[in-house]
Amino acid sequence: MSFKERVFAVVRGIPRGRTLSYKEVARRAGNKKAYRVVGNILNRNCDPEIPCHRVIRADRSIGGYNRDVKEKIKLLKKEGTILV
DNA sequence: CGTATGACGTGCA
DNA sequence: GTGCACGCCATAC
C-alpha cells in the first residue's frame, strides 16, 4: 500500500458536502508532512473514481484542478460543499 | 538509482 | 492585505 493509494482511499472516503485540505488528507493518509505529495499525486493521477475536487487548500482556496478550476468550483457549489 | 517536480503550508517583508 | 521565498515528502522520469 503506497502513500498514494492511501491518499486515494481517503479522498474517496470524503462525504459529499464536505471538503478536506491537502494537509488533512495527508494526515489521514498517515503522513501529515506529505501534504505536498497529495496534490502532486492527484495532479498526476486524477482518477474519475476519486472526488479530487473535494480536496482544497488549507486556507479554503481552490488551489487548482486537473481540468478547469471553474469546473471544480462549479462541482463544489453544485454538491453543496462547504466552501467558506 | 538519482534528479527534478509539484493541485501545499507557513513565515516574513 | 498581498507577494515572495523556503521547507518537506513521495511520485514520476
Side-chain angles (χ1 to χ4, degrees):
Chain A
M1 188 64 121
S2 301
F3 185 76
K4 84 167 194 152
E5 293 184 59
R6 280 179 287 198
V7 173
F8 278 108
V10 175
V11 178
R12 200 186 306 145
I14 300 177
R16 180 177 167 285
R18 180 67 192 282
T19 54
L20 286 178
S21 61
Y22 300 95
K23 192 164 68 168
E24 290 291 306
V25 176
R27 194 191 200 187
R28 288 192 183 196
N31 208 333
K32 56 182 177 183
K33 291 200 276 191
Y35 43 78
R36 288 209 82 182
V37 186
V38 177
N40 198 327
I41 293 168
L42 293 177
N43 181 29
R44 300 267 196 200
N45 198 349
C46 189
D47 280 66
E49 302 289 310
I50 312 295
C52 46
H53 60 270
R54 290 186 193 157
V55 187
I56 58 179
R57 286 182 61 151
D59 57 333
R60 306 295 186 184
S61 293
I62 300 299
Y65 197 46
N66 197 312
R67 302 290 279 175
D68 191 8
V69 184
K70 288 163 68 269
E71 187 68 19
K72 183 174 182 178
I73 300 172
K74 195 193 288 185
L75 283 167
L76 293 173
K77 286 189 76 173
K78 210 170 180 181
E79 295 185 352
T81 307
I82 308 168
L83 31 85
V84 182

